[in-house]
mmCIF file of all heavy atoms in Angstrom:
data_model
loop_
_atom_site.group_PDB
_atom_site.id
_atom_site.type_symbol
_atom_site.label_atom_id
_atom_site.label_comp_id
_atom_site.label_asym_id
_atom_site.label_seq_id
_atom_site.Cartn_x
_atom_site.Cartn_y
_atom_site.Cartn_z
ATOM 1 N N SER A 311 4.914 33.693 12.027
ATOM 2 C CA SER A 311 4.618 34.230 13.272
ATOM 3 C C SER A 311 5.858 34.847 13.897
ATOM 4 O O SER A 311 5.743 35.367 14.991
ATOM 5 C CB SER A 311 4.184 33.025 14.215
ATOM 6 O OG SER A 311 5.076 32.028 14.191
ATOM 7 N N GLU A 312 7.021 34.882 13.237
ATOM 8 C CA GLU A 312 8.177 35.559 13.808
ATOM 9 C C GLU A 312 9.216 35.718 12.670
ATOM 10 O O GLU A 312 8.991 35.220 11.541
ATOM 11 C CB GLU A 312 8.811 34.631 14.872
ATOM 12 C CG GLU A 312 9.300 33.318 14.354
ATOM 13 C CD GLU A 312 9.290 32.231 15.467
ATOM 14 O OE1 GLU A 312 9.226 32.507 16.629
ATOM 15 O OE2 GLU A 312 9.405 31.056 14.981
ATOM 16 N N TRP A 313 10.307 36.417 12.961
ATOM 17 C CA TRP A 313 11.390 36.557 12.045
ATOM 18 C C TRP A 313 12.552 35.511 12.314
ATOM 19 O O TRP A 313 12.715 35.267 13.566
ATOM 20 C CB TRP A 313 12.035 37.872 12.129
ATOM 21 C CG TRP A 313 11.296 39.108 11.605
ATOM 22 C CD1 TRP A 313 10.598 39.915 12.367
ATOM 23 C CD2 TRP A 313 11.035 39.414 10.324
ATOM 24 N NE1 TRP A 313 10.024 40.909 11.573
ATOM 25 C CE2 TRP A 313 10.222 40.576 10.358
ATOM 26 C CE3 TRP A 313 11.432 38.879 9.114
ATOM 27 C CZ2 TRP A 313 9.832 41.117 9.140
ATOM 28 C CZ3 TRP A 313 11.088 39.591 7.895
ATOM 29 C CH2 TRP A 313 10.253 40.624 7.940
ATOM 30 N N LEU A 314 13.036 34.958 11.406
ATOM 31 C CA LEU A 314 14.234 34.076 11.562
ATOM 32 C C LEU A 314 15.364 34.963 11.122
ATOM 33 O O LEU A 314 15.405 35.390 10.031
ATOM 34 C CB LEU A 314 14.150 32.758 10.782
ATOM 35 C CG LEU A 314 15.341 31.830 10.925
ATOM 36 C CD1 LEU A 314 15.102 30.962 12.252
ATOM 37 C CD2 LEU A 314 15.444 30.903 9.782
ATOM 38 N N VAL A 315 16.307 35.199 12.048
ATOM 39 C CA VAL A 315 17.368 36.105 11.814
ATOM 40 C C VAL A 315 18.732 35.420 11.730
ATOM 41 O O VAL A 315 19.069 34.679 12.628
ATOM 42 C CB VAL A 315 17.408 37.298 12.861
ATOM 43 C CG1 VAL A 315 18.416 38.354 12.415
ATOM 44 C CG2 VAL A 315 16.057 37.790 13.098
ATOM 45 N N GLU A 316 19.491 35.623 10.686
ATOM 46 C CA GLU A 316 20.857 35.164 10.696
ATOM 47 C C GLU A 316 21.837 36.302 11.065
ATOM 48 O O GLU A 316 21.809 37.338 10.413
ATOM 49 C CB GLU A 316 21.244 34.635 9.183
ATOM 50 C CG GLU A 316 20.584 33.355 8.882
ATOM 51 C CD GLU A 316 20.931 32.940 7.481
ATOM 52 O OE1 GLU A 316 22.124 33.036 7.113
ATOM 53 O OE2 GLU A 316 19.998 32.560 6.662
ATOM 54 N N VAL A 317 22.704 36.024 11.975
ATOM 55 C CA VAL A 317 23.587 37.021 12.529
ATOM 56 C C VAL A 317 25.004 36.554 12.434
ATOM 57 O O VAL A 317 25.341 35.458 12.765
ATOM 58 C CB VAL A 317 23.379 37.374 13.987
ATOM 59 C CG1 VAL A 317 23.630 38.839 14.263
ATOM 60 C CG2 VAL A 317 22.044 36.931 14.511
ATOM 61 N N ASP A 318 25.897 37.459 11.953
ATOM 62 C CA ASP A 318 27.396 37.164 12.054
ATOM 63 C C ASP A 318 27.934 37.668 13.283
ATOM 64 O O ASP A 318 27.790 38.920 13.597
ATOM 65 C CB ASP A 318 28.108 37.654 10.865
ATOM 66 C CG ASP A 318 27.839 36.956 9.535
ATOM 67 O OD1 ASP A 318 27.476 35.735 9.717
ATOM 68 O OD2 ASP A 318 27.864 37.612 8.449
ATOM 69 N N VAL A 319 28.676 36.791 13.999
ATOM 70 C CA VAL A 319 29.335 37.198 15.185
ATOM 71 C C VAL A 319 30.775 36.732 15.060
ATOM 72 O O VAL A 319 31.032 35.527 15.025
ATOM 73 C CB VAL A 319 28.832 36.632 16.539
ATOM 74 C CG1 VAL A 319 29.564 37.153 17.709
ATOM 75 C CG2 VAL A 319 27.308 36.942 16.657
ATOM 76 N N GLY A 320 31.736 37.672 14.904
ATOM 77 C CA GLY A 320 33.097 37.215 14.508
ATOM 78 C C GLY A 320 33.087 36.399 13.362
ATOM 79 O O GLY A 320 32.487 36.777 12.297
ATOM 80 N N ALA A 321 33.642 35.180 13.421
ATOM 81 C CA ALA A 321 33.706 34.334 12.260
ATOM 82 C C ALA A 321 32.520 33.346 12.277
ATOM 83 O O ALA A 321 32.370 32.627 11.348
ATOM 84 C CB ALA A 321 34.962 33.542 12.331
ATOM 85 N N SER A 322 31.615 33.439 13.297
ATOM 86 C CA SER A 322 30.577 32.515 13.408
ATOM 87 C C SER A 322 29.188 33.114 12.930
ATOM 88 O O SER A 322 28.977 34.269 13.059
ATOM 89 C CB SER A 322 30.384 32.002 14.886
ATOM 90 O OG SER A 322 31.596 31.838 15.407
ATOM 91 N N ARG A 323 28.361 32.236 12.384
ATOM 92 C CA ARG A 323 27.079 32.663 11.928
ATOM 93 C C ARG A 323 26.047 31.950 12.912
ATOM 94 O O ARG A 323 26.067 30.776 12.996
ATOM 95 C CB ARG A 323 26.739 32.274 10.523
ATOM 96 C CG ARG A 323 25.301 32.435 10.223
ATOM 97 C CD ARG A 323 24.873 32.950 8.868
ATOM 98 N NE ARG A 323 26.045 33.660 8.199
ATOM 99 C CZ ARG A 323 26.029 33.636 6.876
ATOM 100 N NH1 ARG A 323 25.282 32.857 6.171
ATOM 101 N NH2 ARG A 323 26.996 34.305 6.176
ATOM 102 N N LEU A 324 25.218 32.725 13.538
ATOM 103 C CA LEU A 324 24.159 32.150 14.440
ATOM 104 C C LEU A 324 22.802 32.394 13.809
ATOM 105 O O LEU A 324 22.534 33.260 13.006
ATOM 106 C CB LEU A 324 24.292 32.779 15.758
ATOM 107 C CG LEU A 324 25.664 32.633 16.458
ATOM 108 C CD1 LEU A 324 25.669 33.442 17.845
ATOM 109 C CD2 LEU A 324 25.914 31.143 16.777
ATOM 110 N N VAL A 325 21.918 31.622 14.226
ATOM 111 C CA VAL A 325 20.500 31.810 13.864
ATOM 112 C C VAL A 325 19.579 31.931 15.079
ATOM 113 O O VAL A 325 19.764 31.299 16.028
ATOM 114 C CB VAL A 325 20.076 30.485 13.024
ATOM 115 C CG1 VAL A 325 18.546 30.556 12.727
ATOM 116 C CG2 VAL A 325 20.828 30.402 11.739
ATOM 117 N N THR A 326 18.693 32.846 15.002
ATOM 118 C CA THR A 326 17.780 33.016 16.169
ATOM 119 C C THR A 326 16.415 33.516 15.606
ATOM 120 O O THR A 326 16.238 33.869 14.443
ATOM 121 C CB THR A 326 18.355 34.049 17.113
ATOM 122 O OG1 THR A 326 17.525 34.063 18.280
ATOM 123 C CG2 THR A 326 18.558 35.363 16.537
ATOM 124 N N TYR A 327 15.461 33.604 16.496
ATOM 125 C CA TYR A 327 14.083 34.190 16.198
ATOM 126 C C TYR A 327 13.952 35.525 16.809
ATOM 127 O O TYR A 327 14.667 35.876 17.683
ATOM 128 C CB TYR A 327 13.067 33.260 16.758
ATOM 129 C CG TYR A 327 13.089 31.815 16.447
ATOM 130 C CD1 TYR A 327 13.167 30.865 17.372
ATOM 131 C CD2 TYR A 327 13.094 31.396 15.098
ATOM 132 C CE1 TYR A 327 13.201 29.523 17.040
ATOM 133 C CE2 TYR A 327 13.099 30.119 14.710
ATOM 134 C CZ TYR A 327 13.215 29.174 15.747
ATOM 135 O OH TYR A 327 13.282 27.796 15.311
ATOM 136 N N ARG A 328 13.132 36.294 16.184
ATOM 137 C CA ARG A 328 12.805 37.595 16.758
ATOM 138 C C ARG A 328 11.279 37.883 16.528
ATOM 139 O O ARG A 328 10.758 37.637 15.571
ATOM 140 C CB ARG A 328 13.573 38.655 16.136
ATOM 141 C CG ARG A 328 13.372 40.036 16.761
ATOM 142 C CD ARG A 328 14.473 41.037 16.223
ATOM 143 N NE ARG A 328 14.127 42.400 16.568
ATOM 144 C CZ ARG A 328 14.542 43.049 17.693
ATOM 145 N NH1 ARG A 328 15.233 42.355 18.548
ATOM 146 N NH2 ARG A 328 14.144 44.315 17.862
ATOM 147 N N SER A 329 10.715 38.324 17.716
ATOM 148 C CA SER A 329 9.218 38.616 17.662
ATOM 149 C C SER A 329 8.878 39.696 16.709
ATOM 150 O O SER A 329 9.580 40.634 16.431
ATOM 151 C CB SER A 329 8.869 39.032 19.077
ATOM 152 O OG SER A 329 7.567 39.595 18.999
ATOM 153 N N LEU A 330 7.657 39.507 16.058
ATOM 154 C CA LEU A 330 7.228 40.516 15.102
ATOM 155 C C LEU A 330 6.916 41.799 15.836
ATOM 156 O O LEU A 330 6.731 42.851 15.189
ATOM 157 C CB LEU A 330 5.996 39.999 14.334
ATOM 158 C CG LEU A 330 6.261 38.698 13.505
ATOM 159 C CD1 LEU A 330 4.932 38.276 12.886
ATOM 160 C CD2 LEU A 330 7.283 39.048 12.414
ATOM 161 N N GLU A 331 6.635 41.759 17.068
ATOM 162 C CA GLU A 331 6.219 42.920 17.886
ATOM 163 C C GLU A 331 7.365 43.810 18.164
ATOM 164 O O GLU A 331 7.198 44.992 18.324
ATOM 165 C CB GLU A 331 5.687 42.453 19.273
ATOM 166 C CG GLU A 331 4.495 41.561 19.246
ATOM 167 C CD GLU A 331 3.323 42.239 18.481
ATOM 168 O OE1 GLU A 331 3.230 43.502 18.669
ATOM 169 O OE2 GLU A 331 2.643 41.514 17.731
ATOM 170 N N LYS A 332 8.617 43.302 18.097
ATOM 171 C CA LYS A 332 9.760 44.180 18.300
ATOM 172 C C LYS A 332 10.180 44.998 17.092
ATOM 173 O O LYS A 332 9.688 44.694 16.056
ATOM 174 C CB LYS A 332 10.982 43.256 18.725
ATOM 175 C CG LYS A 332 10.741 42.629 20.149
ATOM 176 C CD LYS A 332 12.011 42.189 20.725
ATOM 177 C CE LYS A 332 11.804 41.621 22.167
ATOM 178 N NZ LYS A 332 12.804 40.737 22.563
ATOM 179 N N GLU A 333 11.001 45.924 17.400
ATOM 180 C CA GLU A 333 11.397 46.793 16.251
ATOM 181 C C GLU A 333 12.124 46.026 15.067
ATOM 182 O O GLU A 333 12.822 45.067 15.301
ATOM 183 C CB GLU A 333 12.519 47.772 16.871
ATOM 184 C CG GLU A 333 12.836 48.965 16.025
ATOM 185 C CD GLU A 333 13.930 49.799 16.661
ATOM 186 O OE1 GLU A 333 13.899 49.805 17.879
ATOM 187 O OE2 GLU A 333 14.698 50.329 15.915
ATOM 188 N N VAL A 334 11.679 46.385 13.917
ATOM 189 C CA VAL A 334 12.166 45.529 12.735
ATOM 190 C C VAL A 334 13.632 45.750 12.463
ATOM 191 O O VAL A 334 14.119 46.899 12.533
ATOM 192 C CB VAL A 334 11.347 45.886 11.441
ATOM 193 C CG1 VAL A 334 11.851 45.125 10.319
ATOM 194 C CG2 VAL A 334 9.882 45.674 11.662
ATOM 195 N N LEU A 335 14.344 44.668 12.220
ATOM 196 C CA LEU A 335 15.806 44.838 11.968
ATOM 197 C C LEU A 335 16.001 44.879 10.501
ATOM 198 O O LEU A 335 15.191 44.487 9.699
ATOM 199 C CB LEU A 335 16.579 43.595 12.507
ATOM 200 C CG LEU A 335 16.424 43.366 14.051
ATOM 201 C CD1 LEU A 335 17.117 42.121 14.458
ATOM 202 C CD2 LEU A 335 17.063 44.544 14.715
ATOM 203 N N HIS A 336 17.263 45.307 10.062
ATOM 204 C CA HIS A 336 17.503 45.384 8.607
ATOM 205 C C HIS A 336 18.863 44.638 8.433
ATOM 206 O O HIS A 336 19.775 44.762 9.224
ATOM 207 C CB HIS A 336 17.648 46.811 8.133
ATOM 208 C CG HIS A 336 16.353 47.531 8.445
ATOM 209 N ND1 HIS A 336 15.261 47.413 7.645
ATOM 210 C CD2 HIS A 336 16.021 48.394 9.424
ATOM 211 C CE1 HIS A 336 14.250 48.176 8.090
ATOM 212 N NE2 HIS A 336 14.727 48.777 9.155
ATOM 213 N N PRO A 337 19.069 44.018 7.236
ATOM 214 C CA PRO A 337 20.312 43.424 6.957
ATOM 215 C C PRO A 337 21.395 44.406 7.005
ATOM 216 O O PRO A 337 21.261 45.561 6.570
ATOM 217 C CB PRO A 337 20.096 42.849 5.554
ATOM 218 C CG PRO A 337 18.657 42.719 5.394
ATOM 219 C CD PRO A 337 18.049 43.750 6.234
ATOM 220 N N GLY A 338 22.561 44.059 7.514
ATOM 221 C CA GLY A 338 23.763 44.882 7.678
ATOM 222 C C GLY A 338 23.754 45.666 8.974
ATOM 223 O O GLY A 338 24.766 46.391 9.275
#
Side-chain angles (χ1 to χ4, degrees):
Chain A
S311 53
E312 64 205 343
W313 290 104
L314 183 81
V315 188
E316 286 179 46
V317 214
D318 283 337
V319 180
S322 320
R323 166 144 341 148
L324 301 175
V325 172
T326 184
Y327 305 125
R328 185 169 168 90
S329 163
L330 297 178
E331 300 301 324
K332 293 198 176 158
E333 198 181 322
V334 178
L335 300 175
H336 302 281

